[in-house]
Amino acid sequence: MTASSYDYDALFQQALDGLKADGSYRHFADLERRAGHFPRAFHHGLGREVTVWCSNDYLGMGQHPAVLAAMHESLDRSGAGAGGTRNISGTNHEHVALERELADLHGKEAALLFNSGYLSNWATLGTIAARIKGCVVLSDEANHASMIEGIRHSRAEKQVFRHNDPVDLEARLKALPLDAPKIVAFESVYSMDGDIAPIEAFCDLADKYGAMTYLDEVHAVGLYGHQGGGVAEQLGLAHRLTVIEGTLGKGFGVVGGYISGSAALCDFVRSFASGFIFSTALPPMVAAGALASIRYLRASQEERRLHKDRVAYLRARLDEAGIPHLVNPSHIVPVMVGEAVRCRGLSDELLARFGHYIQPINYPTVARGTERLRITPGPLHSRADIDDLVGALATLWKEQGMAAAAA
Ligand code: PMP
């Protein structure tokens, strides 16, 4: 018998051609961030400096002197890597200190670090749903892929409720046996539309029906709340959530993810989650940088104040220019284009002609027909930068005959 002779590369290419045909193939910008120059970066494809408008380093902490100093100091003291998984020699003092800080930030007994926010969602939801016998997961329909994949991996029963809809959530909770263990999983700030969950209403329902609550604050930590503890902190609700999950890679500017919750819950995930147990721990310098970032943002209000100012200013200028954008209560400014090829075209023109980099957001990240330019202005964009961007957008809007928003 001879082995079948598949042309495997042709199979891969066929799948990629499908993406290219519908405009959802991803092109990566080859950027070089230069410490001290954010939001400017060198674009190697273009061979010039550009202004970045789509970074999730929302507050510019990835280049903050306090963070860089802590990382340099830790690198020189401890070296590059952690030396192992957390269980086998990889728990460095920096990890322990960071977990203490995160628990304190969210007013919880404990916290547990992961190598990314993706992994923290995947591993925690996957482990709770799989290991707590009969657990039913109630998941907001707009939840991030990391939560969806974790829940799927657990093979637990899942109920998907309508986005941000307490009425639908209650109907589903009511239909489940009162004594079944349950977990309600949702986000605070949704990354693409920038809307915010009705956290208190969800907590009330969870209490009424005896469910745990799992809140992803990835797009909120560092940015919301007096100490940067997220929307739950801002609303005084942190104590009502069973788990608050976050990232160290966005508002805090470094990399890594975490959960915070009761000591028993964190110990349980630490002890059973393979995505935590069997992976080399984050480098100590990463933990040291994140710790410096969190401590800095707990004490300083200036970055959050400037951030709000820039977001409000961008919205006002877009309104004046008649450029349609989604109105929401957060810092995310989605300029709606509504068609994949046009969205990519606008992004290309903005970059090539005006030096503004905004990655187009297409299906499957957002639904077809809602393709957009997702703008995340930060404290390091000046008002003049914003004027320049809106001027460029207005020129392209006019040239391409795109509909203006109603005044
Ligand atoms: N949750 C949400 C809502 C996200 O948008 C993301 C990343 N974009 C993650 C989790 C994953 O976080 P990280 O980037 O730290 O892996």
Side-chain angles (χ1 to χ4, degrees), residues 56 58 114-121 142-147 187-192 216-219 245-250 254-258 374:
N56 281 341
Y58 291 125
F114 292 82
N115 289 355
S116 71
Y118 189 103
L119 199 56
S120 58
N121 277 335
N143 274 346
H144 188 256
S146 52
M147 290 198 258
E187 303 177 21
S188 58
V189 177
Y190 283 84
S191 70
M192 291 299 146
D216 173 319
E217 291 250 45
V218 158
H219 293 277
E245 181 270 349
T247 184
L248 304 170
K250 299 185 197 289
V254 192
V255 71
Y258 65 91
R374 174 185 182 269

Side-chain angles (χ1 to χ4, degrees), residues 86 95 98-99 102 111-115 248 257-258 276 282 287:
R86 289 290 299 272
H95 300 122
L98 177 55
E99 284 173 341
L102 287 165
L112 190 68
L113 277 173
F114 292 82
N115 289 355
L248 304 170
Y258 65 91
F276 172 84
L282 289 170

